[in-house]
Amino acid sequence: MNHYLPVNREVIKIFSPPGVIAFAGHMIDHPTRPSPRFPAAIEDDVRKAIMHNIESINAHIGFCSLACGSDILFAEAMAEMGKELHIFLPFQIEDFIDVSVSFAGEGWVQRFRKVIEKYPVNFVTEERYEGLNSLFQFQTKVILGSALLRN
């Protein structure tokens, strides 16, 4: 509309719903990983790229997990920008920390805990991990489905 006649910004906002993101990314490389995918040295570049993408798509609502690496970076960026964030974990918190956070160091565990102090956690199951990797796949589907329903 604004290409053909001047339209007040407040009117344009009515026709521009907030962007919704279902986020999933890589963890910081485990110390035993044979080939690098997300070395700790590129953390700041990844953080900047995530923030740029949140801004460029006008995202205001995010859905994610909280593994060390890009998940936590995404959650921190959404928090820093004052956005709405929905966190999903596939199983009990302490098991999740053991499997997906603590190997990267205590700093990542502290960052994880800081995010969950600010935002509520939704659990795919409240059971223990028990080595069931399919819980991660199910969690991804729940995150995507939740974002689609919100969109």
Side-chain angles (χ1 to χ4, degrees), residues 16-135:
S16 300
V20 177
I21 297 177
F23 185 89
H26 292 298
M27 292 190 291
I28 291 287
D29 289 343
H30 193 279
T32 61
R33 183 173 175 79
S35 60
R37 177 175 56 198
F38 188 166
I42 66 168
E43 176 187 338
D44 193 52
D45 292 336
V46 173
R47 182 191 60 76
K48 288 176 185 172
I50 288 170
M51 290 189 83
H52 171 74
N53 282 298
I54 291 169
E55 290 172 348
S56 68
I57 63 172
N58 192 33
H60 288 270
I61 304 164
F63 294 81
C64 67
S65 185
L66 272 185
C68 63
S70 57
D71 289 352
I72 290 176
L73 292 172
F74 172 77
E76 289 172 339
M78 292 292 283
E80 183 180 324
M81 300 165 87
K83 308 294 184 177
E84 181 179 321
L85 183 64
H86 301 271
I87 299 167
F88 289 84
L89 296 182
F91 39 78
Q92 288 183 357
I93 284 179
E94 293 309 317
D95 282 3
F96 184 80
I97 290 171
D98 288 343
V99 173
S100 300
V101 183
S102 64
F103 71 83
E106 185 57 32
W108 284 100
V109 175
Q110 291 173 4
R111 291 164 78 174
F112 171 92
R113 292 198 187 281
K114 187 175 178 183
V115 172
I116 65 171
E117 286 174 8
K118 183 169 183 161
Y119 296 96
V121 175
N122 301 287
F123 292 94
V124 173
T125 178
E126 293 184 9
E127 301 301 317
R128 302 215 44 175
Y129 170 50
E130 304 291 342
L132 295 172
N133 287 329
S134 59
L135 291 173

